[in-house]
Amino acid sequence: MAVVRLFPLSLVIAVLSGALVGCTTTSVGNSAAEQARASAIAAEPPGNYYIGRRYVTERTRFWGYLRKPGQPWSEAKLVVMNEALKRVPDRLPESPIPGNQWFTYDHNFEYRVTGRFSGESVYDPNSNAFLPEFLPTNFELISESPGWLFQPGEGYDSKQLPPKMN
């Protein structure tokens, strides 16, 4: 008889424990920072533009990531820019000049980018990847410090390939 009385109590405890575990906001993919990022992305106005994040890795020639407004960064494409119509913002000397900015000064800057994909792929020998070619027509700086790209707390090493190669 005692076992029968304990069974409903243990069932209630198990259900409540599971409900409390499911409510945490610190689990991966559900942090407050990720929720805030998702809300900001969802609030982006639709349009014929892309959100671009410059991503620099030594000796590679890709530019960074592009995504449509409203899309998460997990759906962004790593691209190579064709500068026939518009030069990228950091088209400067590749060696530092005292007192001036130089090529790749804008790592992790976020831009509003207009233009189009050419439909071609470009081979980057240093990353050993074929990447989509993008023809930009304009860059508008959104932020010089937009924070993490794919997940909170991610690390960056300028000598390693990006965390998500398309």
Side-chain angles (χ1 to χ4, degrees), residues 104-142:
T104 72
Y105 74 87
D106 63 347
H107 170 72
N108 205 38
F109 282 23
E110 193 165 278
Y111 294 94
R112 180 182 175 127
V113 183
T114 55
R116 65 178 177 82
F117 283 95
S118 70
E120 300 294 322
S121 291
V122 177
Y123 180 68
D124 178 10
N126 291 315
S127 64
N128 193 29
F130 284 92
L131 300 168
E133 178 184 55
F134 189 83
L135 292 150
T137 55
N138 195 41
F139 292 88
E140 178 185 329
L141 182 63
I142 295 172

Side-chain angles (χ1 to χ4, degrees), residues 17-86:
S17 298
L20 292 175
V21 169
C23 289
T24 182
T25 57
T26 58
S27 64
V28 175
N30 198 25
S31 71
E34 288 169 303
Q35 289 174 357
R37 166 75 56 89
S39 294
I41 288 173
E44 293 169 347
N48 192 20
Y49 67 96
Y50 295 85
I51 304 296
R53 181 72 70 90
R54 181 73 164 106
Y55 196 97
V56 176
T57 301
E58 290 182 18
R59 298 181 310 276
T60 56
R61 291 297 176 233
F62 50 73
W63 180 82
Y65 291 95
L66 289 180
R67 65 173 176 79
K68 292 296 283 176
Q71 286 184 330
W73 282 108
S74 61
E75 295 181 27
K77 293 182 179 185
L78 187 60
V79 302
V80 173
M81 293 288 183
N82 178 330
E83 298 177 85
L85 302 175
K86 176 76 174 175

